[in-house]
Amino acid sequence: GGTGGREGAWLPSGQGEPTSHLHDHQARAGETSKATVGGPTAHLHDLQYHLDEAAELLTKAKDSYANLQDYTAEIHKQVHVHGELDIDEHSLIKFQKPFKVYLKWLKGENDGAELLYVEGQNNGKMIVHKKVLFGIKKTLELAPEGFWVRKFSKHSIKEAGFGGIISMSCKQFEEARKNNDIIAVSCSTEEVNGRPTHKVAFAVSPHGKHNGYPCRSAEEYFDAEHFMPVKVTFWLWEDDEVESFTYNDVKLNVGLSDKDFDRKNEEYHF
């Protein structure tokens, strides 16, 4: 898809290996502080414009999520480490506020596994049905912050779905902006899966790792109509790790019922 609106103060590369983005960004980090046209103040004013634009788009996403009751989607998650594909999986998510989540893995290392987490139920545990030894499947009750989730994800189950991504992005962006740690930012309009989206991309300075920011840079596409993320990529601090999530077949406010989050649901295998 093409880009629209003003060009960013920095536009991350969407091409090539994920790590090429980092090398490109590091090589150009010095340039971002130089004037583009019309002297240094013009550039600073331009950067301020893009920071405001990115903040406005992230706030719209947060406000849209606040009005959402439930949703379903298919998630395609990929993780690259040192440029090599490490995780490639598809899963189905059902989510209802305040916090009920059902996940079923459709493809990947966890193929066929299911997870149910309802805040305040099941003694605070996740119910997980998965392969154990020799391909035998068992239902286990696990801590939401436990090893099994951490093994496959940098995130707790409590950060699953749209809410976790929007919350993390807004928090990092706001804190980094307040601390003058954002060294590059861009906004544009692009097409993802045939739908128009608003793209927000930003990078923080290298010392941001010590300020506790989850990622060194982020590239996020929000659907132009409903403002939920449809594709997000995070460049993490360690091992040149790059996490990406693409959301397909998104259905909002579908009216999910208690049965959708009941471990006794006959469609589930708990």
Side-chain angles (χ1 to χ4, degrees), residues 10-26 78 80 83 154 168 172 199-204 209 213-221 231-245:
W10 159 70
L11 195 62
S13 162
Q15 309 300 317
E17 293 176 40
T19 47
S20 71
H21 158 82
L22 291 176
H23 299 316
D24 182 52
H25 160 58
Q26 286 163 344
Q78 288 191 320
H80 288 79
K154 297 283 180 197
M168 186 192 89
Q172 171 160 343
K199 175 181 167 186
V200 178
F202 65 91
V204 299
K209 179 181 180 181
Y213 306 130
C215 62
R216 60 206 302 174
S217 57
E219 189 174 270
E220 305 174 65
Y221 298 80
K231 185 180 180 187
V232 296
T233 304
F234 300 114
W235 284 262
L236 307 181
W237 297 101
E238 306 293 337
D239 303 322
D240 270 351
E241 189 167 336
V242 185
E243 254 188 345
S244 74
F245 301 87

Side-chain angles (χ1 to χ4, degrees), residues 11-244:
L11 195 62
S13 162
Q15 309 300 317
E17 293 176 40
T19 47
S20 71
H21 158 82
L22 291 176
H23 299 316
D24 182 52
H25 160 58
Q26 286 163 344
R28 292 165 61 190
E31 289 177 32
T32 57
S33 60
K34 294 178 187 171
T36 45
V37 180
T41 51
H43 174 72
L44 291 174
H45 175 74
D46 197 47
L47 180 65
Q48 198 61 45
Y49 171 87
H50 292 294
L51 286 168
D52 288 345
E53 191 180 16
E56 189 182 334
L57 289 169
L58 288 169
T59 299
K60 273 189 183 173
K62 189 160 69 171
D63 292 347
S64 296
Y65 184 73
N67 293 318
L68 188 62
Q69 294 310 309
D70 62 31
Y71 63 88
T72 62
E74 192 177 307
I75 306 168
H76 181 201
K77 174 183 173 181
Q78 288 191 320
V79 176
H80 288 79
V81 177
H82 296 304
E84 298 291 321
L85 185 61
D86 186 51
I87 295 173
D88 187 9
E89 62 184 28
H90 292 257
S91 57
L92 169 75
I93 185 170
K94 295 181 184 180
F95 188 97
Q96 186 181 56
K97 289 180 178 176
F99 205 97
K100 300 178 182 181
V101 61
Y102 167 80
L103 283 163
K104 180 175 184 178
W105 279 262
L106 308 172
K107 187 177 147 194
E109 189 178 339
N110 291 314
D111 185 24
E114 292 173 278
L115 181 154
L116 180 67
Y117 178 71
V118 179
E119 210 166 54
Q121 289 185 20
N122 304 310
N123 300 316
K125 299 284 178 68
M126 300 183 304
I127 313 300
V128 177
H129 181 76
K130 69 179 191 79
K131 286 178 193 156
V132 285
L133 290 175
F134 312 115
I136 297 163
K137 286 188 173 177
K138 274 186 79 172
T139 296
L140 308 166
E141 295 190 5
L142 303 173
E145 312 287 347
F147 168 77
W148 187 74
V149 170
R150 291 291 179 189
K151 184 182 172 193
F152 297 105
S153 174
K154 297 283 180 197
H155 312 284
S156 155
I157 192 64
K158 294 178 181 180
E159 298 165 332
F162 295 151
I165 282 172
I166 292 168
S167 170
M168 186 192 89
S169 299
C170 288
K171 187 179 175 200
Q172 171 160 343
F173 184 85
E174 286 161 12
E175 286 183 8
R177 185 178 188 182
K178 189 174 70 184
N179 297 330
N180 291 321
D181 281 336
I182 294 179
I183 55 172
V185 61
S186 76
C187 299
S188 57
T189 53
E190 298 197 16
E191 222 171 72
V192 176
N193 296 332
R195 286 180 67 86
T197 68
H198 296 285
K199 175 181 167 186
V200 178
F202 65 91
V204 299
S205 63
H207 67 257
K209 179 181 180 181
H210 306 295
N211 292 344
Y213 306 130
C215 62
R216 60 206 302 174
S217 57
E219 189 174 270
E220 305 174 65
Y221 298 80
F222 298 97
D223 188 274
E225 184 188 346
H226 56 64
F227 264 92
M228 289 302 100
V230 290
K231 185 180 180 187
V232 296
T233 304
F234 300 114
W235 284 262
L236 307 181
W237 297 101
E238 306 293 337
D239 303 322
D240 270 351
E241 189 167 336
V242 185
E243 254 188 345
S244 74

